[in-house]
Amino acid sequence: MAATFKIGRVTTRAVSPAKAPGPPTAAGTAEARRARPSRTAPSAAAETATRRRMIDAAVECILEKGFYRASTNEIARTAGVSWGVIQHHFRTREGLMLAVLQDGAEKFFEHMSRAHVEGDTVAERIDHLAEILSAHYGDPTFLAYLQVQLNLDHDPATSAGVRTTMREVAERSHGHVRRLLHEALGEAAATPELATTVFLALRGFAISQQLQSTMAYDSVAPRALRLARQRKLLAQLLAPYVEQVACGR
């Protein structure tokens, strides 16, 4: 409030100090909140895409640098995220590696659940089974999954929970393999040693094709042609023994 004083012929006006602003009202606070930009949580689709990108980056780094040199910092850089984002999704490097292994297992389950062995003869069915198995074990990403499995299994620091999950994944995989072996071998699949040997031979064949493809002399024959010929030859070598076991049962 202003007061007026008259000094001689000069009139002065004294102005009282400005009143201090009071606490914000509820209406003012609500208005301020509306004016402030809102931070929305990422959608489920965005979270899934980020998780997918980190798993793919981990596989890429393992294949390029090896299991131990594929650090979380390198994986984060490849995925275009921070280490904090990896922690948010997987908590630890071990958690991320387990997610890589589970992702490979899910792809295996999906592929094997749709597959069925066909062929009129034992040799044709074994050849077809080899082709089915090669689609997974002959894929370069399987080498990344294999590195993760071997290192987690042999590392004494691997947690009990991770080991339990690994055993569950392995058992689930065996169910699909047993079904396909029965379709390929018939009654002979009831002989455990035979069925296991056939599976190991076909899986080893698929993995060895990857190793051979990295060598200079692989250019002797186109990979697709060589792979088909060698796969049929392997099937023809295994078929007589399978038939012999089946006849003896």
Side-chain angles (χ1 to χ4, degrees):
M1 181 178 181
T4 304
F5 301 91
K6 190 172 184 181
I7 304 176
R9 296 183 178 180
V10 180
T11 301
T12 62
R13 187 179 179 87
V15 181
S16 61
K19 186 178 180 182
T25 64
T29 303
E31 184 177 351
R33 279 200 300 266
R34 287 194 296 269
R36 188 184 307 133
S38 60
R39 297 179 60 185
T40 58
S43 66
E47 290 278 281
T48 300
T50 300
R51 182 182 177 89
R52 175 77 268 161
R53 194 163 70 249
M54 288 184 287
I55 291 175
D56 290 343
V59 170
E60 179 182 341
C61 290
I62 292 170
L63 290 176
E64 289 184 357
K65 302 178 182 300
F67 179 83
Y68 286 106
R69 294 183 63 190
S71 65
T72 50
N73 288 335
E74 185 64 25
I75 294 171
R77 184 193 64 78
T78 303
V81 300
S82 66
W83 163 231
V85 175
I86 293 181
Q87 283 182 308
H88 169 70
H89 283 269
F90 307 105
R91 297 185 62 184
T92 63
R93 183 178 185 272
E94 181 186 72
L96 174 57
M97 293 298 112
L98 179 60
V100 169
L101 187 61
Q102 290 174 312
D103 183 67
E106 285 301 323
K107 291 178 179 177
F108 177 80
F109 300 150
E110 182 179 356
H111 172 66
M112 295 300 170
S113 64
R114 298 195 308 264
H116 291 280
V117 178
E118 298 177 352
D120 295 329
T121 66
V122 174
E124 289 177 352
R125 292 194 296 271
I126 292 177
D127 180 40
H128 191 201
L129 176 60
E131 182 180 359
I132 293 171
L133 295 177
S134 291
H136 176 73
Y137 295 109
D139 190 289
T141 57
F142 172 74
L143 295 181
Y145 305 142
L146 182 61
Q147 288 188 61
V148 173
Q149 183 176 10
L150 291 175
N151 283 280
L152 288 180
D153 188 47
H154 289 85
D155 187 350
T158 298
S159 65
V162 169
R163 293 188 184 279
T164 298
T165 302
M166 291 173 63
R167 285 193 295 270
E168 292 172 351
V169 168
E171 181 56 36
R172 187 178 172 194
S173 301
H174 294 161
H176 290 291
V177 171
R178 284 192 292 266
R179 175 181 61 80
L180 292 174
L181 283 169
H182 185 268
E183 291 179 4
L185 307 182
E187 294 182 1
T191 305
E193 294 82 2
L194 173 63
T196 301
T197 301
V198 169
F199 170 71
L200 292 177
L202 299 183
R203 184 180 65 175
F205 173 80
I207 297 174
S208 69
Q209 295 303 310
Q210 291 196 63
L211 301 179
Q212 189 175 7
S213 295
T214 64
M215 301 176 183
Y217 61 77
D218 188 56
S219 59
V220 172
R223 182 177 186 275
L225 297 177
R226 184 207 67 227
L227 178 60
R229 288 199 304 267
Q230 292 178 345
R231 194 178 62 225
K232 288 184 182 300
L233 177 60
L234 178 60
Q236 291 168 359
L237 291 172
L238 294 172
Y241 186 66
V242 171
E243 292 170 342
Q244 178 182 346
V245 172
C247 291
R249 290 188 62 83

